[in-house]
Amino acid sequence: MGLAPLWRLRDGGTEDVSEPAATSGVAPSAAMPRPPRLEASASRASTPPIVAPAAPSASRPATQLRQGREEAAAARPAAPLSDARQAENPDMRARRIATLDWDALEADIHACRQCVLGSGRTQAVPGVGDREARWMLVGEGPGKEEDRKGEPFVGQAGRLLDNMLGSIGLRRGEDVYIANTVKCRPPHNRTPEAAEIGACLPYLERQIELVRPQILIALGRPAAQALLGREIRIAAARGQRFAYRGISLVVTYHPAYLLRNPQDKARAWEDLCFARRLMAAGD
Ligand code: URA
């Protein structure tokens, strides 16, 4: 796949201490840095072992997501849904969504009123790209621009994401599918709540099942936690190979975070190179 020599950063640097998820108030530059002070590694590191997700029943986010689904169902605003839909409990709904094809899935997302985000959106933003992609990226949730255009990552963070993809020889829509953890814009771009993520998770799960990517990249903490079903910090989890239902999963910083913290762009680039190595190794 035309991989350049493998590179690693000369010094590991210090970990960041936080990885805010909000997508507003970003700094101006959307350019990815050139790889800083690099040296070629003499040999390819062997494929790292998979870090198994914690048992969901023992983990707070998984419990929160389950509770989230139920809370969302309880707090669902009145909406013109069919009688059959209104009678659906969260498990029935998740099972029904798990059977949908692409058209039905997108129609369901557009009609969704499972949580409060459904009443504030201009439109839902299901996802974009190659439906048979080997690479699948998962963000947090639509922002203002995405809500207006109906496509993920079309604002300033999206331009940075495109640059990040370009830095490893990828392009939006070509062997890449992009989705979000929640499909509707949270008010003021706040971080989606557990109930909202829980209500939306069946959609993401079905998208992943339909795309069947070879690798998943979680952009930021909400996406990583939703997919892994447990609490993580990006700074601690990056550089590891996780698995989501047998698919390799790599976590990295959210582009909006990188706009505010450009000193971490090189780390994000490292994470993408790591993902590319996993792909090249067929893992
Ligand atoms: N941030 C996200 O997480 N997703 C988008 O689509 C846009 C910004």
Side-chain angles (χ1 to χ4, degrees):
M1 151 178 182
L3 285 182
L6 296 171
W7 304 98
R8 62 184 153 72
L9 290 171
R10 185 170 290 158
D11 61 27
T14 52
E15 277 193 352
D16 66 321
V17 288
S18 64
E19 192 261 326
T23 54
S24 54
V26 292
S29 166
M32 274 296 274
R34 293 180 69 77
R37 295 167 59 94
L38 299 167
E39 66 181 12
S41 83
S43 63
R44 171 169 306 187
S46 59
T47 305
I50 289 182
V51 180
S57 59
S59 57
R60 240 178 76 213
T63 311
Q64 283 172 349
L65 294 181
R66 253 196 320 279
Q67 282 169 352
R69 282 185 197 174
E70 282 149 21
E71 278 168 28
R76 191 180 308 152
L81 291 178
S82 71
D83 289 348
R85 287 280 176 84
Q86 287 201 5
E88 250 182 347
N89 69 36
D91 287 340
M92 281 166 60
R93 175 173 170 265
R95 279 200 298 276
R96 178 181 59 76
I97 290 171
T99 66
L100 300 179
D101 65 16
W102 275 112
D103 288 349
L105 181 63
E106 295 203 343
D108 215 80
I109 292 171
H110 284 294
C112 182
R113 291 283 189 278
Q114 284 291 315
C115 77
V116 293
L117 301 187
S119 40
R121 69 184 179 218
T122 304
Q123 60 188 311
V125 182
V128 72
D130 179 353
R131 291 176 171 180
E132 296 181 349
R134 290 178 307 155
W135 296 76
M136 182 161 173
L137 282 74
V138 181
E140 182 176 312
K144 191 174 178 189
E145 284 292 292
E146 291 77 20
D147 176 68
R148 201 167 60 79
K149 293 198 179 144
E151 181 174 335
F153 285 103
V154 289
Q156 198 176 9
R159 288 190 286 282
L160 176 57
L161 182 61
D162 288 340
N163 288 342
M164 291 165 70
L165 290 171
S167 77
I168 56 161
L170 294 173
R171 276 166 70 100
R172 173 187 293 252
E174 292 177 13
D175 205 13
V176 175
Y177 189 85
I178 304 174
N180 276 314
T181 306
V182 296
K183 313 304 186 197
C184 300
R185 182 188 181 203
H188 312 295
N189 295 348
R190 65 157 167 76
T191 304
E193 289 173 4
E196 295 151 2
I197 294 176
C200 227
L201 197 56
Y203 291 136
L204 179 61
E205 289 170 344
R206 184 59 182 155
Q207 286 176 312
I208 296 171
E209 222 165 78
L210 288 169
V211 175
R212 294 164 58 91
Q214 206 171 313
I215 196 153
L216 279 161
I217 300 185
L219 301 166
R221 201 170 181 208
Q225 293 188 159
L227 291 170
L228 289 170
R230 67 181 164 101
E231 212 162 298
I232 61 138
R233 282 182 54 242
I234 296 294
R238 50 179 294 275
Q240 298 180 60
R241 175 179 167 232
F242 296 93
Y244 167 88
R245 299 185 181 178
I247 302 167
S248 289
L249 167 66
V250 168
V251 310
T252 191
Y253 296 106
H254 190 285
Y257 165 83
L258 293 173
L259 288 169
R260 296 189 303 272
N261 298 274
Q263 74 281 2
D264 279 335
K265 284 182 178 177
R267 292 195 175 99
W269 179 80
E270 255 191 310
D271 298 337
L272 295 179
C273 291
F274 173 63
R276 193 175 58 171
R277 283 202 300 278
L278 293 180
M279 285 287 283
D283 293 317

